[in-house]
Amino acid sequence: MEGYYMRRKNTFYKATALAMTSVLTLGAPVIAHAENTEGTDLSDEGYPEINPEIAALENQELEIWLPADQGQDPNFQTVKEKFEESYPNITINYNTSIPWEEMPSKVKLAVNSGAAPDLALHHSFVAGAQGFAEPLDDLWEKWGAEDEFMESSLQDCTWNNVKYGVPFNITSVCLLYNEDMYKEAGITEAPTTLEELREVSKKLTDSSKGQYGFTCYANPWGLFGVVAAEGYNLIDENNNPTVNDKGVVDTLQTYIDIATVDSSSIIPPAQESQAETATAMYGSGRAAQILTGAWDIAALKNQYPDVFAKTKVAPMPGSNHSGVAGGGSLFIPLGAQHKEAAFELMKWLTSDAFIIPFSHSFGQFPCKESQLSSFSDEMLDPFLEALPNAKPYVFEAFPESADAFEQAIRAGFDGGDFAAMMDSAQQIAEGEFQEVLN
């Protein structure tokens, strides 16, 4: 799942984040603000103008839950201070102790116990599908900013045509390849389809050098991207699972065969951090190609500078020019006490002044098209071009389906009956979807 990727982005934050074991309240100790204190308009700095309705609210404290790997970013401290400067009647408290992959279960537990936080960051469509997020269509209509966001980013906060959040950040997956290895193998162009990727990987594999043409991973979030790139999905337009659709099964079998039949990749290890192994394989020069996100650009530059200097980026191979969308969105948990103020903070967290520097720091992209120009360069452009067609991994909202899909993929790499396991995953998904959606 995407969580595998989220846990490895910007590893220089991770050590600090994982050391966190308690709630972090940034800034000064919590005190009540004086009533009727006039705030400072900071719109000239790139933040939203002061909203008179929010400025007129009684004193409030907002409890904001941020994933540990992102919440440590110092830009959150800055926006807290700026927001409180504009709204002295509101105090922001951050909880940055929750790992990304645990956020849905932690929020759901808080909602069920009547202690919902005011705002959380994860996948709003997950919270909407599982019934623990506030619907926000009314506040969106009042804001009138929907057209500012990429349609692909809005998918992360929408379920059954209802918006349950606001897009926060987004990323896509592309092909990174070693240009020197391409030249040595006589390859002049990057593959544009999965079949071409398979053939190119064969040419790049050199057992005498211990060199693989490609490095596979086995996590379901990434492999959904392979499926999407070929024009398939795991659900249809009516939210019915399509796990064992022939196109889905054939696409994944071709990908798996790169490792199991062609030996053009190692068999991905049966461990949670397969993606890190794949990155290390490429960075160490043992593999010529990798499918990954923009966060690995910085990782390669810092950890493998020699290979980074030889690296080129090409679009995700596939006939449909699509792929999986990473990132997340902000949502208001069901029963939160300060819905209007929390939604106002969402506007600030997607403003130019905050989200542009944060996105540069964290290795993802903002969700408004007007904010993308500062990210354009030779290596990032393919990722930017893929964003409009990127799709969320919907099984994030259905853990039993996701687990069954993952087990089928694992069986495929380990020599099991992949097609039969995909049939089994289909049955499990049908049952879970029926239970959750009805």
Side-chain angles (χ1 to χ4, degrees), residues 277-396:
T277 301
T279 305
M281 286 285 294
Y282 177 80
S284 63
R286 293 183 61 202
Q289 304 172 109
I290 183 175
L291 292 173
T292 189
W295 58 83
D296 262 339
I297 299 297
L300 290 170
K301 184 176 182 179
N302 294 330
Q303 300 173 35
Y304 306 100
D306 292 342
V307 169
F308 173 78
K310 306 169 186 176
T311 295
K312 297 293 182 180
V313 183
M316 176 89 171
S319 59
N320 196 50
H321 306 292
S322 185
V324 64
S329 48
L330 302 156
F331 68 96
I332 298 174
L334 192 67
Q337 298 299 303
H338 308 116
K339 184 175 178 179
E340 289 74 17
F343 193 82
E344 191 66 29
L345 179 58
M346 289 178 172
K347 299 178 188 178
W348 282 60
L349 293 175
T350 56
S351 67
D352 292 357
F354 172 80
I355 197 62
I356 292 177
F358 172 82
S359 299
H360 277 291
S361 173
F362 193 64
Q364 295 198 13
F365 303 105
C367 297
K368 297 180 181 179
E369 292 187 22
S370 63
Q371 297 169 336
L372 296 177
S373 59
S374 67
F375 295 83
S376 180
D377 67 24
E378 182 181 359
M379 299 195 80
L380 293 181
D381 281 349
F383 294 100
L384 293 173
E385 293 167 4
L387 293 179
N389 296 315
K391 303 179 185 300
Y393 176 51
V394 175
F395 276 14
E396 293 272 9

Side-chain angles (χ1 to χ4, degrees), residues 218-275:
N219 72 78
W221 180 83
L223 290 195
F224 167 69
V226 176
V227 170
E230 289 296 317
Y232 302 108
N233 206 333
L234 297 179
I235 62 171
D236 63 20
E237 62 275 9
N238 297 315
N239 290 333
N240 297 311
T242 56
V243 181
N244 64 347
D245 178 89
K246 186 177 186 301
V248 173
V249 174
D250 289 349
T251 295
L252 291 177
Q253 188 65 68
T254 298
Y255 179 91
I256 291 169
D257 286 348
I258 293 174
T260 60
V261 176
D262 305 338
S263 299
S264 298
S265 167
I266 63 167
I267 303 293
Q271 59 187 37
E272 195 169 72
S273 56
Q274 298 103 328

Side-chain angles (χ1 to χ4, degrees), residues 28-51:
V30 176
I31 58 174
H33 290 299
E35 294 185 8
N36 300 320
T37 301
E38 185 175 352
T40 304
D41 189 300
L42 300 174
S43 57
D44 59 340
E45 297 183 17
Y47 296 104
E49 295 180 355
I50 289 180
N51 183 336

Side-chain angles (χ1 to χ4, degrees), residues 70-91:
Q70 301 187 56
Q72 298 300 310
D73 190 286
N75 287 290
F76 278 108
Q77 169 68 13
T78 300
V79 75
K80 165 189 162 66
E81 295 170 355
K82 296 292 187 178
F83 189 86
E84 292 177 349
E85 184 179 347
S86 290
Y87 298 106
N89 55 326
I90 298 176
T91 299

